[in-house]
Structure formats: C-alpha cells, structure tokens
Amino acid sequence: MNAKAWAVLGCCLLLLIAAECHKKGKPPKSTGKKAAKEPRGGELKPLQAAGRLPAQALPRHQPTAQPPVKAAGPPVLLRVLGPGRFQAVAEALALRAGDTLELRCRGRAVRWSHPAHLEDEERPRLRIKHFEKYSQMQVVNATAADTGQYSCWSFQCLDTRCQDGEDRTGKTFIFFADPQELFIPTENYYEVLQLRANRPTLLPCQVTSPLARVTLHREFPPEEVPVDGVNISYDVQRGFMIHRSQPSYAGSLFCIASLDGVRQISTKYMLIYINYPSSPPKPTVRASATAVQPGESFNVTCTVLGEPEASITFTWAYPRQQLGRPPYVRERAALRRQGGQVRQEAESTLYVDEARAGTQGLYTCQAQTLEGAGSTSTRVRVLPAPAGA
Ligand SMILES: *[C@@H]1O[C@H](CO)[C@@H](O)[C@H](O)[C@H]1NC(C)=O
Ligand SMILES: *[C@@H]1O[C@H](CO)[C@@H](O)[C@H](O)[C@H]1NC(C)=O
Ligand SMILES: *[C@@H]1O[C@H](CO)[C@@H](O)[C@H](O)[C@H]1NC(C)=O
C-alpha cells in the first residue's frame, strides 16, 4: 500500500477512533460540535493544536465556550531537536533541504504517513523505529521533494479503552526550502487536468517555502490570472484551487514562484473544460418479455448511463396506473468501466405481478437529472387466455 492509501486509511481510522473515544470517555454533549468542526475532504486537523508553546499551554481546537472535556495532554507529535530536546510541532514547519528531520510520536502501535516517494528510494533516507511507548521517524538529507504532510497515529483506542486525556494523532506540514527548487519537483513537464463544470479543480503547484510569492499565469495570451480568493484561491500547502470552473479558464496555465530574487515556473497544466454531463439522460428500457401469458409476472427495466454520483430520478407511466395497485419498483446504481471511463449505470425496475388484459400496453420510463429529462417506452402484450382455460 502506498502512503496516500495509508493516509486515507489513517484518516478513516482516526475518525473511527475519535468517535470511539467520544463514546467511551466523554459526555455525548460535545459530539455534534466536534463533528461540525471536522474539516471536509477527509482531512483531519490535528487534535491538539501545535505551536512553540509549553505543552500545558497548548491551545485546543475546541470552542472556547465549551468546558474542556479533557485536560491538555502532552502533544502526540514532537520534533526531536537533539538528545533529550523536543519541540511540539506547529501546523506547519519550515525547514531547509539538507536538514535531517526527526519526529517522535507517542503511543504504542504507531503508524506514520509521509510523502510516498520516501518509501521506495534506492538509498533509503527514511528510518522508522518503534519503541515501547513511542515511535521515531527520521528523514536524512531532506530534499525539496520531501515537502508535504507528515502524520502519525496509534491504534490504542481500538482494542482497549481509550486512555484519559490522551490525543492519538499528530500532524504537521513540513516545507523543505531549497533555493534551487521553489516548487516541489514533479516528473512531468506538463499535466492534463479536467475542469469539470460541477466540481473544483486543483492546480497542485506546491512550493517548498511558505515565504515564496506564487502567482498564476496563462500561456496564451500571456497574462496573469487574477486570484480573487472566491473563484480561484491559493493555499500554500496545496496550490491553486479553481472553485467555479468556467470555459474561460481552459488552456495552458502555470504558476510562478519568486523568493529572494529567484523566479521559477511550475509544471504546466493543460486545463480542459468538460461540461459533463451536458445533455439530458438517454434512458433505455427493456421488458423481461414482450408478450406474457395471463397470470405470468414480468418486469420492465430502465437504464441510464451517466457520470458517477449523478443523481437520477426515475418515474414510470404504465397501464392501469390510476387504478392503484402500484407495482413494486426497485432502483439500484453500479459503477462500470466503459472504454477507459468509469460510468454510473443506474437502473429502475418495475415488477408487474400476474399479467392480465389490463396490464397490457405501454410502459414508459422517465429519467430526470440536473441536466434535464429523457424518456422512452416499451410495449408489453398479454396473450389471450388459452382456449378452454
Ligand atoms: C547524506 O548526506 C551525506 C553528506 O552528503 C552523505 O555522506 C550520506 O551518505 C547521505 N545519506 C544518505 C542516506 O543519503
Ligand atoms: C467570479 O465568477 C463569476 C461568475 O462565474 C463572475 O461573475 C465574477 O466576476 C468572477 N469574479 C471575479 C473577481 O473574477
Ligand atoms: C426480470 O424478469 C426476468 C424473467 O423473470 C428475470 O430473469 C430477471 O432477473 C428480472 N430482472 C430483474 C432486474 O429482477
């Protein structure tokens, strides 16, 4: 498993653990507030705030009006400065390329997450040692590429009950400034990004120093793209985020970082605008039989292929609809790979019990999405009752 997967898994576990700890150790009063404070997108803020302050003075990420549910324990994640010298890590640390990073995480079964490439280096620069009550991680001869999120967590809450007053996670973003590499080096000279009409787009030109000034530029015509903090915003740990995609943002974009008289250009991002799905759904409908015997059961299935997570509403029109006896309808959606694309196949099936003369006729399915509605029909015949029956 790579580090990204670990990070995601870690966040899930953290959420679980946090929930468990809450249930077990504390009054349920604060649950709602705490949940509401958790950032979106699976990113977990460190449970203890950082800062170069003595441990007992650490500010808590908690509403001040609320009585503290537990005493501020010693921080989970520490930076080792030298023998016996530790520093609580801040939300971000600015170090230099060439430095050695040493972090210590309190806990028994500690897991770490760090930039993925550290794991598969020919001459490993990453060392992790586990001890009884903590784990230590070392990155020697750090490079600009090591800039990123470092976090640790321990599993102690899962098998035994949580220990009082102890937070179980630590996280920090570490910059390794390199005057020659203002941007975190990437393998690609350019990167193709899809600008989806319905979701934000990240241009991940991440810098190695939080002091770098970063601007966004268009290649043709050459111009600086205004960053207003609303349509486009900048986050020093992530890059530029285009919140509302517009066709006018498409094209070749890049970032420029400048620091101490050095100016560098990032990877180029080819932004392709995709207004997708851009048309109303095109359902297909199919009956399990086009002609049925009286008394036989049949079903009619309506299928829509579309973008994953698109929400679709199906409505049916069928014979004897006004007479009540609503048929049973079942809906489901599955993801399918089709020509290298992942698509959602959404289905609605109408079950008709015991066909009779009155159930003969047109079965029409209508599918509705944000983009519009589409409908289609199929005819089901009920055969005459066999002579003599
Ligand atoms: C770190 O850098 C020093 C000095 O350049 C070198 O001697 C050492 O081998 C490097 N260590 C690793 C693990 O790359
Ligand atoms: C942001 O986008 C909206 C519409 O997409 C536009 O009307 C507005 O002028 C933009 N704001 C800035 C500051 O560019
Ligand atoms: C519809 O009916 C046919 C024939 O009875 C059956 O094979 C099929 O599984 C049914 N489809 C669904 C979606 O239940």
Side-chain angles (χ1 to χ4, degrees):
M1 224 188 307
N2 64 28
K4 235 184 214 158
W6 272 118
V8 170
L9 186 70
C11 284
C12 297
L13 272 165
L14 289 180
L15 285 169
L16 266 177
I17 292 168
E20 275 299 298
C21 291
H22 245 277
K23 264 193 280 178
K24 286 176 178 167
K26 284 165 264 154
K29 214 173 123 199
S30 61
T31 311
K33 269 190 183 161
K34 188 135 190 216
K37 271 183 70 68
E38 246 135 40
R40 289 150 295 150
E43 260 185 58
L44 213 68
K45 277 253 163 71
L47 294 178
Q48 99 279 2
R52 283 149 218 235
L53 295 165
Q56 61 273 25
L58 288 179
R60 314 285 300 171
H61 277 291
Q62 270 169 353
T64 40
Q66 207 184 331
V69 282
K70 51 187 182 181
V76 173
L77 187 60
L78 294 164
R79 183 175 164 216
V80 183
L81 297 173
R85 289 175 56 226
F86 304 99
Q87 176 192 56
V89 293
E91 246 172 76
L93 280 180
L95 307 183
R96 275 173 316 201
D99 284 354
T100 287
L101 169 71
E102 207 165 327
L103 295 175
R104 176 180 284 205
C105 186
R106 289 188 320 111
R108 276 165 216 278
V110 171
R111 296 288 166 94
W112 291 94
S113 110
H114 47 71
H117 68 93
L118 283 169
E119 221 142 75
D120 33 51
E121 285 188 318
E122 262 177 50
R123 292 183 62 204
R125 295 179 298 119
L126 172 75
R127 286 159 208 165
I128 292 177
K129 272 195 202 157
H130 297 292
F131 299 91
E132 201 197 335
K133 289 186 177 159
Y134 64 91
S135 175
Q136 201 137 316
M137 183 184 81
Q138 197 185 44
V139 178
V140 298
N141 301 350
T143 70
D146 300 339
T147 299
Q149 193 80 59
Y150 290 78
S151 59
C152 72
W153 63 96
S154 79
F155 289 107
Q156 223 162 347
C157 285
L158 285 184
D159 33 27
T160 61
R161 60 188 179 80
C162 300
Q163 287 177 18
D164 284 340
E166 280 193 323
D167 287 333
R168 291 277 147 208
T169 69
K171 177 171 121 165
T172 183
F173 190 97
I174 304 180
F175 295 93
F176 290 103
D178 181 339
Q180 310 304 318
E181 301 270 15
L182 296 186
F183 289 105
I184 298 180
T186 60
E187 282 169 18
N188 306 323
Y189 176 65
Y190 75 92
E191 198 175 315
V192 176
L193 296 177
Q194 292 189 349
L195 261 177
R196 293 288 189 91
N198 52 357
R199 64 181 70 162
T201 307
L202 176 70
L203 277 65
C205 50
Q206 288 173 283
V207 281
T208 60
S209 165
L211 302 177
R213 200 180 95 81
V214 190
T215 47
L216 182 62
H217 300 260
R218 173 175 299 285
E219 194 169 13
F220 303 113
E223 62 184 11
E224 185 173 336
V225 179
V227 174
D228 60 356
V230 179
N231 291 354
I232 304 184
S233 67
Y234 178 68
D235 177 339
V236 74
Q237 296 180 9
R238 301 183 69 199
F240 287 100
M241 184 70 92
I242 299 178
H243 297 280
R244 271 184 279 163
S245 299
Q246 301 166 13
S248 63
Y249 291 141
S252 171
L253 268 62
F254 57 88
C255 313
I256 292 184
S258 41
L259 181 64
D260 297 335
V262 178
R263 241 164 91 89
Q264 284 183 350
I265 289 183
S266 72
T267 295
K268 290 200 171 129
Y269 301 100
M270 311 296 291
L271 270 59
I272 298 171
Y273 183 77
I274 300 181
N275 193 1
Y276 171 63
S278 54
S279 53
K282 294 189 183 65
T284 55
V285 72
R286 167 179 42 87
S288 58
T290 49
V292 292
Q293 301 286 348
E296 221 181 305
S297 297
F298 64 95
N299 61 57
V300 189
T301 298
C302 183
T303 307
V304 174
L305 268 181
E307 197 181 11
E309 287 163 48
S311 108
I312 300 170
T313 312
F314 289 101
T315 30
W316 287 94
Y318 45 89
R320 288 165 62 90
Q321 192 163 11
Q322 296 77 13
L323 294 187
R325 200 167 165 247
Y328 173 60
V329 177
R330 210 181 124 206
E331 287 178 9
R332 75 198 129 198
L335 294 180
R336 297 245 182 288
R337 196 162 271 285
Q338 199 191 47
Q341 269 191 325
V342 176
R343 315 215 59 197
Q344 172 181 262
E345 189 181 86
E347 273 186 0
S348 173
T349 301
L350 185 91
Y351 294 87
V352 180
D353 242 6
E354 295 183 24
R356 354 173 181 167
T359 47
Q360 166 166 302
L362 209 56
Y363 287 78
T364 303
C365 150
Q366 190 195 58
Q368 174 98 42
T369 64
L370 286 176
E371 265 63 39
S375 67
T376 182
S377 314
T378 188
R379 189 171 291 280
V380 178
R381 239 163 28 95
V382 178
L383 299 168

